Amino acid sequence: MAGDAVTQDAADSVTGPDTDGHQSASKPSPGRVRHRVAIGVLIVGSLLTVMGLSIIGACFINDRTIVESRGQAVAEVVDTSLTRTVVRFNTEDGRVYIPPNGVLYPTDLQVGQTVRVEYDSRNPDLVRVAGRNAVISLLPVSSSLAVVWAVTLPAYWLLRRSGKD
């Protein structure tokens, strides 16, 4: 009997004496949910913007690295795909080299085509088409970011507006 009283008192201290051991879970209001989703939309847009700016920054860093220790060669385009364009070229020390990640700035290259390339002589994996540089990355990244924000801002506005109705 004494054990039953201790158990009941413990349950009352957690749930309150008038709930009979059942607590109702409070649900956030629809306005609060819309507000959180709106903030999430802004966060996703911001993350995509940071990613896009990081891509541009990486392109400029790659270009600077190539310029610091530039090697030049004539390369043959071996393969093109959606994700990369593979080239084969001879380094200045006579080795045949095929960079596993492909070539930077491969726009309009076709299989079998020969093209002049510049590469980092310390790391021939880093190779770009001669005459092309990070400026080429500005248009696709900036247009992608424009689309991101063209979707993000109206979505945020609609979510915030519908919460005020």
Side-chain angles (χ1 to χ4, degrees), residues 17-82:
D18 56 320
T19 62
D20 295 331
H22 299 288
Q23 284 184 320
S24 63
S26 62
K27 293 182 182 178
S29 68
R32 177 163 271 199
V33 170
R34 280 191 299 270
H35 175 72
R36 287 181 180 171
V37 171
I39 296 299
V41 165
L42 284 180
I43 289 171
V44 168
S46 297
L47 288 174
L48 290 172
T49 300
V50 168
M51 287 173 47
L53 295 175
S54 297
I55 289 170
I56 291 172
C59 289
F60 279 100
I61 290 169
N62 284 340
D63 283 351
R64 186 188 70 214
T65 304
I66 290 171
V67 168
E68 287 173 356
S69 181
R70 183 182 325 203
Q72 297 181 346
V74 174
E76 176 188 0
V77 179
V78 178
D79 185 35
T80 60
S81 69
L82 185 60

Side-chain angles (χ1 to χ4, degrees), residues 5 9 20 22 28 70 72-73 84 94 98 104 110-111 125 128 132 135 140 158 161-162 165:
D9 288 342
D20 295 331
H22 299 288
R70 183 182 325 203
Q72 297 181 346
R84 67 186 181 138
I98 301 174
L104 299 172
Q110 305 296 324
V111 174
D125 284 346
R128 69 179 179 189
R132 298 181 185 178
V135 173
L158 286 172
R161 183 170 180 234
S162 64
D165 292 342

Side-chain angles (χ1 to χ4, degrees), residues 93-162:
D93 60 1
R95 291 186 311 140
V96 175
Y97 205 81
I98 301 174
N101 296 324
V103 65
L104 299 172
Y105 321 122
T107 308
D108 297 329
L109 297 181
Q110 305 296 324
V111 174
Q113 181 180 0
T114 56
V115 62
R116 292 189 49 75
V117 294
E118 298 171 335
Y119 61 93
D120 180 4
S121 60
R122 300 168 296 197
N123 176 17
D125 284 346
L126 188 57
V127 60
R128 69 179 179 189
V129 176
R132 298 181 185 178
N133 59 31
V135 173
I136 291 174
S137 68
L138 294 176
L139 181 62
V141 172
S142 61
S143 58
S144 297
L145 291 178
V147 170
V148 164
W149 286 104
V151 172
T152 300
L153 291 176
Y156 174 76
W157 181 77
L158 286 172
L159 287 165
R160 294 294 295 169
R161 183 170 180 234
S162 64

